[in-house]
Amino acid sequence: MPTIDKVTVNSVCFTPGARTFWHTHEQGQILQVTSGNGFVCLDGEAPQIIRTGDVVWIGANERHWHGAGSDTLMVHTATSLGTTHWAEEVLEDVYRKAAGTGSPRLL
C-alpha cells in the first residue's frame, strides 16, 4: 500500500457563486458534499453538478476546480492527499458555462 506523506481534511462552505482557483493534488482528493449543490470541473471536461450526499474522487494531479452553484451555498468535506498546487483563478465566463450542466461524478 502506498504511503501518503500529507493528508489534509477541511470542511469548506462556499457562498453562492464562490469557487476555488484551478489546482491539483499530488495524490488526489475526495470531496463529500454535506449541504447544497455546486460543481466540480476537470480541466478539458464539462463541469459536473454535485449535490448533498455525493462523494467525488479527483485523481492524482488532475487539474480541477469546485464550488457552489450560482444561487445556493455548498458545504463539502475535502480530503486532500499530498501537496496541493494552486494555479490561476477560474474566470467568470468559465464558471457561467457550468450552470445547468452534467451529472455528479460519483466515487
Side-chain angles (χ1 to χ4, degrees):
M1 178 173 229
T3 301
I4 299 172
D5 291 330
K6 183 177 178 185
V7 176
T8 305
V9 179
N10 291 298
S11 181
V12 183
C13 180
F14 294 91
T15 57
R19 63 244 182 216
T20 65
F21 280 37
W22 287 101
H23 61 287
T24 61
H25 304 278
E26 186 176 46
Q27 296 183 49
Q29 184 179 52
I30 300 167
L31 302 177
Q32 182 176 6
V33 182
T34 57
S35 181
N37 63 65
F39 304 101
V40 62
C41 184
L42 299 179
D43 197 7
E45 295 186 15
Q48 302 295 301
I49 297 169
I50 54 177
R51 297 178 177 90
T52 302
D54 288 347
V55 177
V56 180
W57 166 251
I58 300 159
N61 297 309
E62 285 190 300
R63 184 175 141 97
H64 68 286
W65 63 268
H66 36 97
S70 61
D71 61 352
T72 183
L73 294 170
M74 182 186 71
V75 180
H76 68 44
T77 299
T79 303
S80 303
L81 309 173
T83 302
T84 300
H85 299 279
W86 293 100
E88 72 275 9
E89 181 177 3
V90 174
L91 300 176
E92 189 63 30
D93 64 325
V94 172
Y95 175 78
R96 271 189 254 130
K97 288 179 186 177
T101 63
S103 59
R105 209 182 130 186
L106 302 178
L107 177 66

